[in-house]
Amino acid sequence: MSSYFCDQQQAVVKLLGSFGYDDAARAVYGCGYLEWKSRHQKKATDEQMERFNASKELHAKHDKELLENPKPEGAFSAPLTDHRSDALINTQACARIPTQQKSLLSNVCCEDIESIGPSTAQTNQNIAARPPMGRTELKLAILTVSDRAASNSYKTGDLSGPAVEQAIIREIDRINSKFKDQVITLLHVHRHIVPDEIDQIQEVLLKWSGKSQQQSSFDIIFTTGGTGFASRDVTPEATNSVLDRECHGLMSWASMELTRIQPLASLSRASAGICGSSVIINLPGNPTGAQEVAALLFPLLIHAVRDIHAT
């Protein structure tokens, strides 16, 4: 019996010894810590940093030397016992279990996200598309499709449309600062709200794509809302009815990437394609989800816009 429990303990200790920081993060977040941090952490504002520095005396303290040098290999703080008989297990046989010692000090704690390099141990990381070189000028339109937003039922007003606009502005700033061989300029942003009615969605999309000849077209048209399974969710149907050409690859890739952090993203019926000289993309109605999809697809959409105008 003691040999059996000794083997079990060895297996447990070996498993715990090989369970590193990134493994724990994947168990909690569903992805590596650096990937989660790069997706969700935002740079602190000056006000936040001022509060952070003012409260340093309250911050937890840890002994870095102790964490970098854990107990010697095979050491136990107390003898292990058999929970069935309370008899001491043969600790002589289990006294030294060969495990790979690792520093207990987090390699990402208290570091600026911008200073952390990519982890070589992580796989299947998101590969952001590199926008095309040169200058790109854009006109952007955002259509919120929602019965309640259209009827002013929200106390806060429409949140999805402004959220998408903010996400695109941030993404343009990020791209322009990272890639010095190209410049993206946002010339105009227009937002509008319609209820979940196919004819009203169609009317706006045709107008914004220049097909109704009432105005010049927008380069990128985002819709937000109406992509789910409810009977009133008709945005994909309205969009597909005005598209000249569909682009299944964009939404398939977005769904694949986003379902890794939110399985419910796979329930989206969103469409994408070309109408006239405009690219139309359906986004979810949730402001956070809409921002994530818009930011993820935006570098690819610049390529699409350049291709459309090149023909």
Side-chain angles (χ1 to χ4, degrees):
M1 180 68 71
S2 62
S3 175
Y4 169 79
F5 280 102
C6 179
D7 292 341
Q8 292 297 304
Q9 289 167 356
Q10 288 189 41
V12 170
V13 173
K14 285 181 179 180
L15 177 62
L16 293 175
S18 63
F19 198 69
Y21 193 89
D22 197 57
D23 297 313
R26 288 184 180 278
V28 175
Y29 302 125
C31 61
Y33 186 73
L34 292 179
E35 179 181 346
W36 181 87
K37 204 168 185 179
S38 65
R39 282 175 177 267
H40 299 288
Q41 175 165 304
K42 298 178 181 178
K43 194 171 181 65
T45 63
D46 293 339
E47 181 183 356
Q48 289 172 328
M49 288 305 302
E50 185 178 345
R51 292 180 181 177
F52 173 83
N53 291 324
S55 63
K56 276 190 174 180
E57 292 184 359
L58 303 176
H59 297 177
K61 305 294 191 301
H62 52 247
D63 189 334
K64 290 189 177 183
E65 182 177 354
L66 177 61
L67 292 175
E68 288 174 343
N69 299 284
K71 283 189 175 184
E73 181 180 324
F76 290 96
S77 58
L80 301 174
T81 60
D82 181 346
H83 70 283
R84 296 185 189 179
S85 62
D86 292 330
L88 288 176
I89 294 176
N90 185 352
T91 56
Q92 295 294 326
C94 301
R96 297 188 62 80
I97 299 175
T99 57
Q100 182 182 359
Q101 291 298 314
K102 296 181 180 180
S103 169
L104 299 179
L105 184 63
S106 166
N107 64 342
V108 295
C109 182
C110 306
E111 293 187 37
D112 190 327
I113 184 61
E114 295 177 356
S115 67
I116 300 175
S119 170
T120 56
Q122 295 187 38
T123 58
N124 298 325
Q125 294 291 322
N126 289 330
I127 302 176
R130 198 235 190 265
M133 293 184 292
R135 179 177 293 276
T136 305
E137 295 182 339
L138 293 175
K139 290 186 293 182
L140 176 69
I142 304 167
L143 178 64
T144 297
V145 181
S146 167
D147 288 331
R148 285 180 289 180
S151 61
N152 255 340
S153 297
Y154 293 118
K155 292 181 179 179
T156 59
D158 174 35
L159 296 179
S160 299
V164 173
E165 180 178 350
Q166 293 169 9
I168 295 302
I169 291 174
R170 283 199 302 267
E171 190 65 13
I172 289 175
D173 290 341
R174 183 193 69 82
I175 291 173
N176 287 341
S177 62
K178 182 176 181 179
F179 302 103
K180 304 303 181 183
D181 55 359
Q182 58 81 51
V183 176
I184 300 174
T185 303
L186 189 58
L187 299 178
H188 180 65
V189 180
H190 182 66
R191 297 201 313 263
H192 187 59
I193 304 173
V194 296
D196 294 279
E197 298 289 348
I198 288 182
D199 58 341
Q200 294 191 44
I201 301 170
Q202 291 171 327
E203 180 182 357
V204 174
L205 293 180
L206 290 172
K207 178 181 177 181
W208 285 356
S209 63
K211 282 197 166 185
S212 65
Q213 299 181 349
Q214 295 183 24
Q215 65 179 54
S216 59
S217 63
F218 290 92
D219 300 295
I220 300 174
I221 301 172
F222 287 114
T223 71
T224 172
T227 61
F229 285 72
S231 60
R232 294 285 292 170
D233 290 335
V234 295
T235 303
E237 286 72 27
T239 301
N240 290 334
S241 69
V242 303
L243 292 179
D244 298 319
R245 289 177 289 171
E246 292 184 61
C247 183
H248 299 288
L250 281 172
M251 304 316 298
S252 295
W253 180 69
S255 177
M256 179 183 68
E257 291 296 302
L258 294 172
T259 49
R260 297 196 299 179
I261 59 174
Q262 174 50 273
L264 292 178
S266 62
L267 294 177
S268 172
R269 299 187 304 110
S271 292
I274 302 170
C275 180
S277 57
S278 303
V279 182
I280 301 178
I281 305 292
N282 294 159
L283 303 177
N286 178 274
T288 300
Q291 286 187 319
E292 290 179 346
V293 178
L296 181 67
L297 291 178
F298 184 72
L300 290 172
L301 297 179
I302 302 302
H303 285 276
V305 170
R306 294 281 288 270
D307 287 347
I308 290 172
H309 289 299
T311 56

